[in-house]
Amino acid sequence: MSAPLPLRLGVNIDHVATIRNARGGDHPDPVRAAEIVASVGGDGITAHLREDRRHIRDDDLKRIMAATTLPLNLEMAATEEMLEIALRHKPHAACIVPEKREERTTEGGLDAAGQHNHLAPIVGRLNDAGIRVSLFIEPDARQIEAAMRLAAPVVELHTGRYAHLGLDGDAAGVETELKRIADAAALAAKNGIEAHAGHGLTYENVQPIAAIPQLRELNIGHYLIGEAIFIGLEESVRRMRTLMDEVR
Ligand code: PXP
């Protein structure tokens, strides 16, 4: 069998902005985090501009894009406001996520199958603008088929359930979920859709996911920023990169 293709690491820097916003000033600056990620071999920056601007703010996008040559993956809800912002900033990629105002983080994947008519014009306009669209979905054949109908070039498979089952110590559940993710990645790749994954990934749980050969990118945020408090962002990203590389 041929070696798996390289696996990119996209670092989500939202929670640098969460800490900044806790005091309302400029420190710590997510732009500095983006520069550090670039300097230690991260492959991309991910940032979620939420409707309530609880972490990343509009001007951060422009500043991040100006400060680093790493591709920016903008996570966004499927709304007119976010579409307009994406078309104005033209990030490398836009990952469409479901967004509920009251949630603490993105819970559950996008219902690409149930929301086809709402999503189709948004995906179409992003595609036309040359922005690489990704749909954040559950690892489920029905959702991948929906992504194909929407002509999305990328899907990001939600690993939140996998991560939670691990925290609950449910080894059988973890295995089942891992297989669902691996099957979904294989189905996507077979149909010409690039497969990414993310949510809740840590040093402890990343390797079985990173070993799935069809996955091309992982997006990881909260854990890396949390670890950075103790060991620094450079080391936190480096360790994740090493763990990922060990299983490719
Ligand atoms: N991918 C997507 C689409 C997300 O919404 C998030 C969380 O913002 C992540 C990856 C990163 O998740 P975590 O912060 O748990 O690593």
Side-chain angles (χ1 to χ4, degrees), residues 13-140:
I13 57 173
D14 291 349
H15 296 303
V16 177
T18 302
I19 298 173
R20 176 194 61 190
N21 297 357
R23 286 293 168 92
D26 296 334
H27 184 84
D29 189 347
V31 169
R32 185 163 160 207
E35 288 166 346
I36 291 173
V37 170
S39 74
V40 293
D43 300 292
I45 300 297
T46 293
H48 185 174
L49 185 69
R50 279 186 168 266
E51 188 190 13
D52 62 9
R53 311 298 198 267
R54 70 174 74 155
H55 35 59
I56 294 294
R57 300 188 298 230
D58 301 60
D59 66 317
D60 290 332
L61 297 181
K62 202 163 135 197
R63 293 189 314 115
I64 292 166
M65 289 178 73
T68 139
T69 54
L70 286 186
L72 175 68
N73 173 33
L74 172 66
E75 291 180 6
M76 55 175 266
T79 63
E80 263 308 312
E81 182 202 9
M82 288 301 152
L83 175 63
E84 187 271 319
I85 290 170
L87 294 175
R88 185 150 33 90
H89 288 280
K90 291 212 169 38
H92 166 77
C95 179
I96 303 182
V97 301
E99 193 176 302
K100 293 191 220 93
R101 207 178 276 235
E102 63 282 9
E103 71 190 355
R104 255 189 276 168
T105 180
T106 312
E107 293 159 5
L110 187 73
D111 183 9
Q115 287 191 43
H116 176 92
N117 292 346
H118 174 64
L119 293 170
I122 296 178
V123 173
R125 286 178 65 193
L126 291 167
N127 276 342
D128 289 348
I131 299 169
R132 199 158 163 76
V133 180
S134 132
L135 304 179
F136 188 45
I137 57 171
E138 292 296 323
D140 180 309

